[in-house]
Amino acid sequence: MSDEVTAVLIIIGNEVLSGRTQDTNLQYIASGLVERGIRLKEVRVVADDETAIVTAVNHLRATHDYVFTTGGIGPTHDDITSACIAKAFGVPLRRDPRAVECLLRQIKPENLNEARLRMATLPEGAELIDNPVSHAPGYRLGNVHVLAGVPRIMQAMFDGLKAGLRGGARLLSLNVTIFGSEGLIAEALAEIQRRRPDLEIGSYPFTRDGVYGTVIVIRGTDRTALNEAGREVEEMAGRLGVRVEGEGSAQ
Amino acid sequence: MSDEVTAVLIIIGNEVLSGRTQDTNLQYIASGLVERGIRLKEVRVVADDETAIVTAVNHLRATHDYVFTTGGIGPTHDDITSACIAKAFGVPLRRDPRAVECLLRQIKPENLNEARLRMATLPEGAELIDNPVSHAPGYRLGNVHVLAGVPRIMQAMFDGLKAGLRGGARLLSLNVTIFGSEGLIAEALAEIQRRRPDLEIGSYPFTRDGVYGTVIVIRGTDRTALNEAGREVEEMAGRLGVRVEGEGSAQ
């Protein structure tokens, strides 16, 4: 796992912490990172609070390959992400002419007030991340990628930058659905996990029409090992006398 | 803000970090804490990894009034939360007879295998949290509340314990919807925020039928101040010539 490429996500926003907004950015970024073979190791949701943001950014950028942030880059007083990123890196904020140009694709020059120009006031050294939806850009500084919070805009930004990320070994996964409870299969499943330390075997219970079931998710980088483990799980279910649905082969 | 009661949530689970599962527990707990006047200050999503869990628990239980965890208390090998909580507190795990009794409400004695008994193997000193759905209990140790990850079970556990939490001053909120963009109102809104440092004024853009709008969320503990600020936001919108919809008064 020494060549593992890791990432963390910092979701910035009181609206998520108050329950007002259901975050969906985590799942979108998580899924995209899986495609690129990058392991999302941690997510933090922090308030619109300078100390909280600066502390999280500085801790996490030192310990992971990539940091992504969402939220707090709009024109209003509660959008403090750029000021926090500048502080975290110890660099000044400055008006970025390239970012002003981006804004002018959306905003008439006579409407480009000070508040809107905050969206072009970025930490020194920031490399712009394209926003094809509403043009106010995101940016990268060091290993930190600063994205919008609005899902449609965040997704467009992330889709654009994703291909440029250094990927790791693609993590494949294989699901096996067992129509038996976790408690029934747990001991035999643990034995499979012990024999295959290079795979991650997760177990997720469900009930469907009053029947207890368990989805076994097997993840790893070696397709052959994954498919073997999948067959072992299916055989285990057979021995325990419960119905099983595999998904064929690792994806 | 010195009498603020604070909480953090630790979501434990590879399935959230891989994008397989869309978390909904955050929003449920966040909304419940708002009702009790408790401020959710941070959320961390961590992997099924001992170091990650122990580090997060020990850091956050020292810095906040309440810690909640979700996930990782089932019977399978990837359910490591209880071992991590025991390690974080430096106490042994032991079979809890009260928890075994809970399990026996759901599981026949002859089916109570070692794997299922793991759900009754808890850190010493744990106080049980009732699980009316599937009976395997959660628990509290110190200020840490350990809950299930399955939303239906987590919700039942949280609903049961919520009334027993020490609440703080109830945070009221008032929404004003403005049919104008954030960039248009940002400067005047910042001025209202400057005059009212005891309120939190958040600004959330939306588009509806191609029209840009902004929801202004005003939060605070003083109903009068909140309603005054709401009127100021409405007046601001009037001055800027944009349509506004208030929600009446603070809730």
Side-chain angles (χ1 to χ4, degrees), chain A residues 15 18-20 22-23 27 42-45 76-78 106 113-116 181 183-184 186-187 193 201-204 212 217 219, chain B residues 15 18-20 22-23 27 42-45 76-78 106 113-116 181 183-184 186-187 201-204 212 217 219:
Chain A
E15 71 278 19
S18 72
R20 181 181 176 275
Q22 165 70 55
D23 170 76
Q27 190 173 35
E42 184 174 332
V43 178
R44 293 194 189 179
V45 187
T76 52
H77 64 275
D78 57 335
Q106 176 89 355
N113 58 21
E114 278 304 309
R116 287 176 169 132
S181 73
L184 179 68
E187 288 168 31
Q193 174 71 84
I201 305 182
S203 166
Y204 306 102
Y212 286 96
V217 179
R219 301 170 82 214
Chain B
E15 70 279 19
S18 72
R20 179 182 177 275
Q22 167 69 56
D23 170 76
Q27 189 171 36
E42 184 174 331
V43 178
R44 294 195 189 179
V45 187
T76 53
H77 64 275
D78 56 335
Q106 175 90 355
N113 58 22
E114 278 303 309
R116 288 176 168 131
S181 73
L184 178 68
E187 287 166 32
I201 305 181
S203 165
Y204 306 103
Y212 286 96
V217 179
R219 301 171 82 213

Short mmCIF file of all heavy atoms in Angstrom, two decimals, chain A residues 15 18-20 22-23 27 42-45 76-78 106 113-116 181 183-184 186-187 193 201-204 212 217 219, chain B residues 15 18-20 22-23 27 42-45 76-78 106 113-116 181 183-184 186-187 201-204 212 217 219:
data_model
loop_
_atom_site.label_atom_id
_atom_site.label_comp_id
_atom_site.label_asym_id
_atom_site.label_seq_id
_atom_site.Cartn_x
_atom_site.Cartn_y
_atom_site.Cartn_z
N GLU A 15 -24.33 25.37 6.75
CA GLU A 15 -25.62 24.84 6.31
C GLU A 15 -25.67 23.32 6.37
O GLU A 15 -26.73 22.73 6.50
CB GLU A 15 -25.98 25.37 4.91
CG GLU A 15 -25.15 24.80 3.76
CD GLU A 15 -23.80 25.48 3.56
OE1 GLU A 15 -23.31 26.16 4.50
OE2 GLU A 15 -23.23 25.33 2.47
N SER A 18 -25.85 22.48 10.27
CA SER A 18 -27.14 22.78 10.91
C SER A 18 -28.23 21.84 10.44
O SER A 18 -29.35 21.90 10.94
CB SER A 18 -27.55 24.22 10.60
OG SER A 18 -27.95 24.32 9.24
N GLY A 19 -27.92 20.97 9.46
CA GLY A 19 -28.94 20.07 8.95
C GLY A 19 -29.80 20.71 7.88
O GLY A 19 -30.69 20.06 7.32
N ARG A 20 -29.56 21.97 7.57
CA ARG A 20 -30.37 22.64 6.55
C ARG A 20 -30.17 22.00 5.18
O ARG A 20 -31.10 21.85 4.40
CB ARG A 20 -29.99 24.13 6.49
CG ARG A 20 -30.78 24.90 5.47
CD ARG A 20 -30.38 26.36 5.40
NE ARG A 20 -31.14 26.96 4.32
CZ ARG A 20 -30.78 26.93 3.03
NH1 ARG A 20 -29.67 26.35 2.67
NH2 ARG A 20 -31.56 27.48 2.13
N GLN A 22 -28.60 18.80 2.87
CA GLN A 22 -28.06 17.44 2.77
C GLN A 22 -26.90 17.47 1.79
O GLN A 22 -27.10 17.71 0.61
CB GLN A 22 -29.16 16.49 2.29
CG GLN A 22 -28.67 15.13 1.81
CD GLN A 22 -28.17 14.24 2.94
OE1 GLN A 22 -28.87 13.99 3.91
NE2 GLN A 22 -26.92 13.78 2.82
N ASP A 23 -25.70 17.22 2.29
CA ASP A 23 -24.54 17.20 1.40
C ASP A 23 -24.63 16.05 0.41
O ASP A 23 -24.97 14.92 0.79
CB ASP A 23 -23.25 17.05 2.20
CG ASP A 23 -22.08 16.79 1.25
OD1 ASP A 23 -21.63 17.75 0.62
OD2 ASP A 23 -21.65 15.62 1.11
N GLN A 27 -20.33 12.16 -1.82
CA GLN A 27 -20.49 10.93 -2.61
C GLN A 27 -20.01 11.13 -4.05
O GLN A 27 -19.39 10.22 -4.62
CB GLN A 27 -21.96 10.49 -2.60
CG GLN A 27 -22.12 9.11 -3.21
CD GLN A 27 -23.52 8.55 -3.06
OE1 GLN A 27 -24.50 9.28 -3.11
NE2 GLN A 27 -23.61 7.25 -2.86
N GLU A 42 -10.47 10.47 4.52
CA GLU A 42 -11.20 11.16 5.57
C GLU A 42 -11.97 12.31 4.97
O GLU A 42 -11.57 12.88 3.96
CB GLU A 42 -10.21 11.69 6.63
CG GLU A 42 -10.89 12.34 7.82
CD GLU A 42 -9.93 12.74 8.94
OE1 GLU A 42 -8.86 12.10 9.10
OE2 GLU A 42 -10.25 13.71 9.64
N VAL A 43 -13.08 12.64 5.59
CA VAL A 43 -13.84 13.83 5.22
C VAL A 43 -14.09 14.61 6.50
O VAL A 43 -14.40 14.02 7.54
CB VAL A 43 -15.20 13.46 4.58
CG1 VAL A 43 -16.01 14.72 4.25
CG2 VAL A 43 -14.99 12.62 3.33
N ARG A 44 -13.92 15.91 6.44
CA ARG A 44 -14.30 16.75 7.57
C ARG A 44 -15.30 17.79 7.11
O ARG A 44 -15.12 18.42 6.07
CB ARG A 44 -13.08 17.48 8.16
CG ARG A 44 -12.10 16.52 8.78
CD ARG A 44 -11.10 17.25 9.64
NE ARG A 44 -10.07 16.29 10.04
CZ ARG A 44 -9.02 16.56 10.77
NH1 ARG A 44 -8.86 17.79 11.24
NH2 ARG A 44 -8.14 15.63 11.08
N VAL A 45 -16.34 17.94 7.88
CA VAL A 45 -17.29 19.02 7.66
C VAL A 45 -17.00 20.06 8.73
O VAL A 45 -17.06 19.74 9.93
CB VAL A 45 -18.75 18.55 7.78
CG1 VAL A 45 -19.70 19.69 7.38
CG2 VAL A 45 -19.01 17.30 6.95
N THR A 76 -20.44 36.52 -0.93
CA THR A 76 -21.02 37.11 0.29
C THR A 76 -20.05 37.02 1.48
O THR A 76 -19.05 36.31 1.44
CB THR A 76 -22.37 36.47 0.64
OG1 THR A 76 -22.23 35.06 0.68
CG2 THR A 76 -23.43 36.85 -0.39
N HIS A 77 -20.40 37.74 2.55
CA HIS A 77 -19.51 37.88 3.72
C HIS A 77 -19.20 36.54 4.37
O HIS A 77 -18.19 36.40 5.05
CB HIS A 77 -20.17 38.81 4.74
CG HIS A 77 -21.43 38.21 5.29
ND1 HIS A 77 -22.65 38.35 4.65
CD2 HIS A 77 -21.67 37.41 6.36
CE1 HIS A 77 -23.58 37.69 5.32
NE2 HIS A 77 -23.01 37.11 6.35
N ASP A 78 -20.12 35.56 4.20
CA ASP A 78 -19.88 34.26 4.84
C ASP A 78 -19.02 33.35 3.96
O ASP A 78 -18.77 32.20 4.33
CB ASP A 78 -21.21 33.59 5.23
CG ASP A 78 -22.14 33.39 4.03
OD1 ASP A 78 -22.03 34.15 3.06
OD2 ASP A 78 -23.00 32.49 4.10
N GLN A 106 -19.72 36.07 -17.46
CA GLN A 106 -21.05 35.88 -16.85
C GLN A 106 -21.68 37.21 -16.45
O GLN A 106 -22.89 37.35 -16.44
CB GLN A 106 -20.87 35.00 -15.59
CG GLN A 106 -22.11 34.77 -14.77
CD GLN A 106 -22.87 33.54 -15.24
OE1 GLN A 106 -22.53 32.93 -16.24
NE2 GLN A 106 -23.92 33.19 -14.53
N ASN A 113 -19.27 44.47 -9.19
CA ASN A 113 -19.04 45.24 -7.96
C ASN A 113 -17.98 44.57 -7.08
O ASN A 113 -17.47 43.49 -7.40
CB ASN A 113 -20.37 45.42 -7.22
CG ASN A 113 -21.03 44.09 -6.87
OD1 ASN A 113 -20.37 43.05 -6.82
ND2 ASN A 113 -22.33 44.10 -6.63
N GLU A 114 -17.69 45.21 -5.96
CA GLU A 114 -16.64 44.69 -5.06
C GLU A 114 -16.96 43.29 -4.55
O GLU A 114 -16.08 42.45 -4.42
CB GLU A 114 -16.46 45.64 -3.86
CG GLU A 114 -15.58 46.85 -4.15
CD GLU A 114 -14.19 46.46 -4.67
OE1 GLU A 114 -13.52 45.63 -4.03
OE2 GLU A 114 -13.80 46.99 -5.74
N ALA A 115 -18.23 43.07 -4.26
CA ALA A 115 -18.61 41.75 -3.74
C ALA A 115 -18.31 40.67 -4.79
O ALA A 115 -17.71 39.64 -4.47
CB ALA A 115 -20.10 41.74 -3.38
N ARG A 116 -18.70 40.94 -6.02
CA ARG A 116 -18.45 39.93 -7.06
C ARG A 116 -16.95 39.77 -7.31
O ARG A 116 -16.48 38.67 -7.60
CB ARG A 116 -19.20 40.30 -8.34
CG ARG A 116 -20.71 40.06 -8.18
CD ARG A 116 -21.51 40.52 -9.38
NE ARG A 116 -22.88 40.03 -9.30
CZ ARG A 116 -23.96 40.80 -9.49
NH1 ARG A 116 -23.84 42.09 -9.76
NH2 ARG A 116 -25.17 40.27 -9.40
N SER A 181 -28.53 -13.19 7.67
CA SER A 181 -28.13 -12.06 8.50
C SER A 181 -26.62 -12.03 8.68
O SER A 181 -25.93 -13.04 8.52
CB SER A 181 -28.82 -12.16 9.86
OG SER A 181 -28.23 -13.20 10.60
N GLY A 183 -25.05 -11.82 11.44
CA GLY A 183 -24.65 -12.66 12.56
C GLY A 183 -24.42 -14.11 12.17
O GLY A 183 -23.59 -14.80 12.77
N LEU A 184 -25.16 -14.55 11.17
CA LEU A 184 -25.03 -15.94 10.70
C LEU A 184 -23.72 -16.17 9.96
O LEU A 184 -23.08 -17.21 10.10
CB LEU A 184 -26.22 -16.24 9.77
CG LEU A 184 -26.27 -17.64 9.14
CD1 LEU A 184 -26.55 -18.69 10.21
CD2 LEU A 184 -27.36 -17.68 8.06
N ALA A 186 -20.95 -14.09 9.96
CA ALA A 186 -19.81 -13.27 10.40
C ALA A 186 -18.54 -14.09 10.63
O ALA A 186 -17.45 -13.68 10.22
CB ALA A 186 -20.18 -12.51 11.67
N GLU A 187 -18.68 -15.25 11.27
CA GLU A 187 -17.47 -16.01 11.62
C GLU A 187 -16.79 -16.55 10.37
O GLU A 187 -15.57 -16.43 10.22
CB GLU A 187 -17.81 -17.11 12.62
CG GLU A 187 -18.11 -16.49 14.00
CD GLU A 187 -18.73 -17.46 14.99
OE1 GLU A 187 -18.45 -18.68 14.93
OE2 GLU A 187 -19.52 -16.99 15.84
N GLN A 193 -11.59 -13.13 5.35
CA GLN A 193 -10.80 -11.90 5.47
C GLN A 193 -9.40 -12.19 6.03
O GLN A 193 -8.42 -11.64 5.55
CB GLN A 193 -11.53 -10.89 6.37
CG GLN A 193 -10.75 -9.64 6.67
CD GLN A 193 -10.60 -8.70 5.48
OE1 GLN A 193 -11.48 -7.89 5.21
NE2 GLN A 193 -9.49 -8.79 4.74
N ILE A 201 -12.83 -6.62 3.02
CA ILE A 201 -14.15 -7.24 2.91
C ILE A 201 -15.08 -6.52 3.87
O ILE A 201 -14.90 -6.55 5.08
CB ILE A 201 -14.08 -8.75 3.22
CG1 ILE A 201 -13.04 -9.41 2.29
CG2 ILE A 201 -15.46 -9.38 3.06
CD1 ILE A 201 -12.91 -10.91 2.47
N GLY A 202 -16.07 -5.84 3.32
CA GLY A 202 -17.04 -5.10 4.12
C GLY A 202 -18.38 -5.82 4.10
O GLY A 202 -18.71 -6.54 3.16
N SER A 203 -19.14 -5.60 5.14
CA SER A 203 -20.40 -6.32 5.31
C SER A 203 -21.49 -5.32 5.69
O SER A 203 -21.35 -4.60 6.68
CB SER A 203 -20.17 -7.35 6.42
OG SER A 203 -21.40 -7.85 6.88
N TYR A 204 -22.57 -5.27 4.89
CA TYR A 204 -23.60 -4.24 5.07
C TYR A 204 -24.97 -4.88 5.11
O TYR A 204 -25.45 -5.42 4.11
CB TYR A 204 -23.48 -3.20 3.95
CG TYR A 204 -22.08 -2.65 3.90
CD1 TYR A 204 -21.17 -3.09 2.93
CD2 TYR A 204 -21.64 -1.80 4.89
CE1 TYR A 204 -19.86 -2.64 2.95
CE2 TYR A 204 -20.33 -1.34 4.92
CZ TYR A 204 -19.45 -1.77 3.94
OH TYR A 204 -18.16 -1.34 3.98
N TYR A 212 -33.89 -10.62 6.33
CA TYR A 212 -32.57 -10.06 6.59
C TYR A 212 -31.59 -10.50 5.52
O TYR A 212 -31.57 -11.67 5.12
CB TYR A 212 -32.04 -10.54 7.94
CG TYR A 212 -32.70 -9.87 9.10
CD1 TYR A 212 -33.78 -10.47 9.75
CD2 TYR A 212 -32.28 -8.61 9.53
CE1 TYR A 212 -34.41 -9.85 10.82
CE2 TYR A 212 -32.91 -7.99 10.60
CZ TYR A 212 -33.98 -8.60 11.23
OH TYR A 212 -34.60 -7.98 12.27
N VAL A 217 -19.14 -6.57 0.33
CA VAL A 217 -18.39 -5.78 -0.65
C VAL A 217 -16.92 -6.12 -0.50
O VAL A 217 -16.34 -5.93 0.57
CB VAL A 217 -18.61 -4.27 -0.45
CG1 VAL A 217 -17.81 -3.48 -1.48
CG2 VAL A 217 -20.10 -3.93 -0.55
N ARG A 219 -13.13 -5.42 -1.87
CA ARG A 219 -12.40 -4.40 -2.63
C ARG A 219 -10.91 -4.73 -2.63
O ARG A 219 -10.36 -5.22 -1.64
CB ARG A 219 -12.63 -3.01 -2.04
CG ARG A 219 -14.10 -2.62 -2.03
CD ARG A 219 -14.33 -1.35 -1.24
NE ARG A 219 -14.04 -0.18 -2.04
CZ ARG A 219 -13.54 0.95 -1.55
NH1 ARG A 219 -13.24 1.06 -0.28
NH2 ARG A 219 -13.32 1.98 -2.35
N GLU B 15 -17.75 2.53 3.63
CA GLU B 15 -18.78 2.57 2.60
C GLU B 15 -19.18 4.01 2.27
O GLU B 15 -19.65 4.29 1.17
CB GLU B 15 -20.00 1.73 3.01
CG GLU B 15 -20.85 2.27 4.15
CD GLU B 15 -20.30 1.99 5.55
OE1 GLU B 15 -19.10 1.68 5.67
OE2 GLU B 15 -21.07 2.10 6.52
N SER B 18 -16.05 5.46 0.21
CA SER B 18 -15.92 4.92 -1.15
C SER B 18 -17.03 5.42 -2.07
O SER B 18 -17.03 5.14 -3.26
CB SER B 18 -15.96 3.39 -1.12
OG SER B 18 -17.27 2.94 -0.84
N GLY B 19 -17.99 6.13 -1.51
CA GLY B 19 -19.11 6.61 -2.33
C GLY B 19 -20.20 5.58 -2.50
O GLY B 19 -21.22 5.84 -3.14
N ARG B 20 -20.02 4.39 -1.92
CA ARG B 20 -21.04 3.35 -2.06
C ARG B 20 -22.34 3.78 -1.39
O ARG B 20 -23.44 3.53 -1.90
CB ARG B 20 -20.54 2.05 -1.44
CG ARG B 20 -21.53 0.92 -1.51
CD ARG B 20 -21.03 -0.35 -0.84
NE ARG B 20 -22.07 -1.34 -0.91
CZ ARG B 20 -23.07 -1.44 -0.03
NH1 ARG B 20 -23.13 -0.64 1.00
NH2 ARG B 20 -24.01 -2.35 -0.19
N GLN B 22 -24.65 6.82 0.46
CA GLN B 22 -24.92 8.24 0.74
C GLN B 22 -25.31 8.35 2.20
O GLN B 22 -26.35 7.84 2.61
CB GLN B 22 -26.06 8.72 -0.16
CG GLN B 22 -26.65 10.08 0.23
CD GLN B 22 -25.71 11.25 0.00
OE1 GLN B 22 -25.23 11.46 -1.10
NE2 GLN B 22 -25.46 12.03 1.04
N ASP B 23 -24.47 9.03 2.98
CA ASP B 23 -24.80 9.21 4.40
C ASP B 23 -26.03 10.09 4.56
O ASP B 23 -26.17 11.12 3.89
CB ASP B 23 -23.65 9.87 5.14
CG ASP B 23 -24.08 10.28 6.54
OD1 ASP B 23 -24.19 9.38 7.39
OD2 ASP B 23 -24.36 11.47 6.78
N GLN B 27 -27.40 14.59 8.65
CA GLN B 27 -28.50 15.55 8.64
C GLN B 27 -29.51 15.26 9.75
O GLN B 27 -30.04 16.18 10.37
CB GLN B 27 -29.20 15.55 7.27
CG GLN B 27 -30.19 16.69 7.15
CD GLN B 27 -30.75 16.86 5.75
OE1 GLN B 27 -30.96 15.89 5.05
NE2 GLN B 27 -31.00 18.09 5.36
N GLU B 42 -18.46 20.09 14.13
CA GLU B 42 -17.62 19.42 13.13
C GLU B 42 -18.13 18.00 12.93
O GLU B 42 -18.69 17.40 13.85
CB GLU B 42 -16.16 19.38 13.62
CG GLU B 42 -15.20 18.80 12.60
CD GLU B 42 -13.72 18.89 13.03
OE1 GLU B 42 -13.36 19.82 13.78
OE2 GLU B 42 -12.96 18.01 12.61
N VAL B 43 -17.94 17.50 11.74
CA VAL B 43 -18.22 16.10 11.45
C VAL B 43 -16.97 15.52 10.80
O VAL B 43 -16.35 16.17 9.94
CB VAL B 43 -19.42 15.94 10.49
CG1 VAL B 43 -19.66 14.47 10.16
CG2 VAL B 43 -20.66 16.57 11.09
N ARG B 44 -16.59 14.33 11.21
CA ARG B 44 -15.52 13.63 10.51
C ARG B 44 -16.02 12.29 10.02
O ARG B 44 -16.67 11.57 10.77
CB ARG B 44 -14.32 13.39 11.44
CG ARG B 44 -13.66 14.68 11.86
CD ARG B 44 -12.30 14.45 12.46
NE ARG B 44 -11.84 15.70 13.02
CZ ARG B 44 -10.69 15.88 13.65
NH1 ARG B 44 -9.87 14.85 13.82
NH2 ARG B 44 -10.35 17.06 14.12
N VAL B 45 -15.71 11.99 8.79
CA VAL B 45 -15.96 10.67 8.26
C VAL B 45 -14.63 9.95 8.22
O VAL B 45 -13.69 10.44 7.57
CB VAL B 45 -16.57 10.71 6.84
CG1 VAL B 45 -16.98 9.30 6.40
CG2 VAL B 45 -17.75 11.68 6.78
N THR B 76 -19.79 -8.24 12.46
CA THR B 76 -18.78 -8.75 11.52
C THR B 76 -17.38 -8.18 11.81
O THR B 76 -17.22 -7.24 12.58
CB THR B 76 -19.19 -8.46 10.06
OG1 THR B 76 -19.49 -7.10 9.91
CG2 THR B 76 -20.41 -9.30 9.69
N HIS B 77 -16.40 -8.78 11.14
CA HIS B 77 -14.99 -8.45 11.43
C HIS B 77 -14.67 -6.99 11.16
O HIS B 77 -13.71 -6.45 11.72
CB HIS B 77 -14.08 -9.33 10.55
CG HIS B 77 -14.26 -9.02 9.10
ND1 HIS B 77 -15.26 -9.61 8.35
CD2 HIS B 77 -13.64 -8.15 8.28
CE1 HIS B 77 -15.23 -9.11 7.12
NE2 HIS B 77 -14.26 -8.24 7.06
N ASP B 78 -15.44 -6.34 10.28
CA ASP B 78 -15.16 -4.93 9.97
C ASP B 78 -15.85 -3.98 10.95
O ASP B 78 -15.76 -2.76 10.81
CB ASP B 78 -15.53 -4.59 8.51
CG ASP B 78 -16.99 -4.90 8.19
OD1 ASP B 78 -17.59 -5.76 8.86
OD2 ASP B 78 -17.52 -4.29 7.24
N GLN B 106 -34.08 -10.56 20.45
CA GLN B 106 -34.13 -10.64 18.98
C GLN B 106 -33.66 -12.00 18.49
O GLN B 106 -34.09 -12.48 17.46
CB GLN B 106 -33.23 -9.53 18.41
CG GLN B 106 -33.04 -9.53 16.92
CD GLN B 106 -34.10 -8.68 16.24
OE1 GLN B 106 -35.02 -8.18 16.88
NE2 GLN B 106 -34.01 -8.54 14.94
N ASN B 113 -24.31 -16.88 18.61
CA ASN B 113 -22.92 -17.32 18.39
C ASN B 113 -21.92 -16.23 18.81
O ASN B 113 -22.30 -15.13 19.20
CB ASN B 113 -22.74 -17.73 16.93
CG ASN B 113 -23.07 -16.59 15.96
OD1 ASN B 113 -23.05 -15.41 16.34
ND2 ASN B 113 -23.38 -16.94 14.72
N GLU B 114 -20.65 -16.57 18.69
CA GLU B 114 -19.59 -15.63 19.11
C GLU B 114 -19.68 -14.30 18.35
O GLU B 114 -19.44 -13.24 18.91
CB GLU B 114 -18.21 -16.26 18.89
CG GLU B 114 -17.77 -17.20 19.99
CD GLU B 114 -17.77 -16.54 21.38
OE1 GLU B 114 -17.17 -15.45 21.53
OE2 GLU B 114 -18.40 -17.11 22.30
N ALA B 115 -20.00 -14.39 17.06
CA ALA B 115 -20.06 -13.16 16.26
C ALA B 115 -21.15 -12.24 16.81
O ALA B 115 -20.93 -11.04 17.02
CB ALA B 115 -20.33 -13.49 14.79
N ARG B 116 -22.32 -12.81 17.06
CA ARG B 116 -23.41 -11.97 17.57
C ARG B 116 -23.08 -11.45 18.97
O ARG B 116 -23.46 -10.33 19.32
CB ARG B 116 -24.72 -12.76 17.57
CG ARG B 116 -25.24 -12.95 16.12
CD ARG B 116 -26.46 -13.81 16.05
NE ARG B 116 -27.07 -13.74 14.73
CZ ARG B 116 -27.44 -14.80 14.00
NH1 ARG B 116 -27.26 -16.03 14.47
NH2 ARG B 116 -27.99 -14.63 12.82
N SER B 181 -29.49 37.85 -7.32
CA SER B 181 -28.28 37.05 -7.14
C SER B 181 -27.52 37.48 -5.89
O SER B 181 -27.68 38.60 -5.39
CB SER B 181 -27.38 37.18 -8.37
OG SER B 181 -26.80 38.47 -8.37
N GLY B 183 -24.42 38.23 -5.71
CA GLY B 183 -23.51 39.32 -6.02
C GLY B 183 -24.17 40.68 -5.90
O GLY B 183 -23.54 41.68 -5.55
N LEU B 184 -25.48 40.72 -6.18
CA LEU B 184 -26.22 41.98 -6.11
C LEU B 184 -26.42 42.44 -4.66
O LEU B 184 -26.34 43.62 -4.35
CB LEU B 184 -27.59 41.77 -6.78
CG LEU B 184 -28.57 42.95 -6.78
CD1 LEU B 184 -28.04 44.06 -7.67
CD2 LEU B 184 -29.95 42.48 -7.26
N ALA B 186 -24.74 41.27 -1.87
CA ALA B 186 -23.68 40.89 -0.92
C ALA B 186 -23.22 42.06 -0.06
O ALA B 186 -23.03 41.91 1.15
CB ALA B 186 -22.50 40.30 -1.69
N GLU B 187 -23.03 43.23 -0.68
CA GLU B 187 -22.48 44.34 0.11
C GLU B 187 -23.45 44.81 1.18
O GLU B 187 -23.07 45.01 2.34
CB GLU B 187 -22.03 45.47 -0.82
CG GLU B 187 -20.76 45.07 -1.56
CD GLU B 187 -20.40 45.97 -2.74
OE1 GLU B 187 -20.69 47.18 -2.68
OE2 GLU B 187 -19.82 45.45 -3.72
N ILE B 201 -25.50 35.25 9.70
CA ILE B 201 -26.29 35.44 8.49
C ILE B 201 -25.62 34.67 7.37
O ILE B 201 -24.49 34.96 6.97
CB ILE B 201 -26.42 36.93 8.14
CG1 ILE B 201 -27.02 37.68 9.35
CG2 ILE B 201 -27.29 37.12 6.90
CD1 ILE B 201 -27.24 39.18 9.13
N GLY B 202 -26.30 33.66 6.87
CA GLY B 202 -25.76 32.83 5.79
C GLY B 202 -26.50 33.13 4.50
O GLY B 202 -27.67 33.54 4.51
N SER B 203 -25.85 32.89 3.41
CA SER B 203 -26.39 33.26 2.10
C SER B 203 -26.20 32.07 1.16
O SER B 203 -25.09 31.60 0.97
CB SER B 203 -25.61 34.48 1.61
OG SER B 203 -25.83 34.68 0.24
N TYR B 204 -27.32 31.57 0.58
CA TYR B 204 -27.27 30.35 -0.22
C TYR B 204 -27.95 30.57 -1.57
O TYR B 204 -29.17 30.76 -1.63
CB TYR B 204 -27.91 29.19 0.55
CG TYR B 204 -27.25 29.06 1.91
CD1 TYR B 204 -27.87 29.54 3.06
CD2 TYR B 204 -25.97 28.56 2.00
CE1 TYR B 204 -27.22 29.49 4.29
CE2 TYR B 204 -25.31 28.51 3.22
CZ TYR B 204 -25.94 28.97 4.35
OH TYR B 204 -25.28 28.94 5.55
N TYR B 212 -32.03 33.67 -10.94
CA TYR B 212 -31.12 33.57 -9.80
C TYR B 212 -31.79 34.07 -8.54
O TYR B 212 -32.46 35.12 -8.56
CB TYR B 212 -29.85 34.41 -10.03
CG TYR B 212 -28.92 33.78 -11.01
CD1 TYR B 212 -28.95 34.16 -12.35
CD2 TYR B 212 -28.02 32.80 -10.61
CE1 TYR B 212 -28.09 33.59 -13.27
CE2 TYR B 212 -27.17 32.22 -11.53
CZ TYR B 212 -27.20 32.60 -12.86
OH TYR B 212 -26.37 32.02 -13.75
N VAL B 217 -30.31 32.94 5.39
CA VAL B 217 -30.65 32.25 6.63
C VAL B 217 -30.04 33.01 7.79
O VAL B 217 -28.81 33.19 7.84
CB VAL B 217 -30.15 30.80 6.62
CG1 VAL B 217 -30.50 30.10 7.92
CG2 VAL B 217 -30.72 30.03 5.43
N ARG B 219 -29.56 33.17 11.84
CA ARG B 219 -29.65 32.29 13.00
C ARG B 219 -29.15 33.02 14.25
O ARG B 219 -28.23 33.82 14.19
CB ARG B 219 -28.83 31.01 12.78
CG ARG B 219 -29.29 30.24 11.57
CD ARG B 219 -28.34 29.11 11.24
NE ARG B 219 -28.59 27.95 12.06
CZ ARG B 219 -27.65 27.10 12.47
NH1 ARG B 219 -26.38 27.32 12.16
NH2 ARG B 219 -27.95 26.05 13.19
#
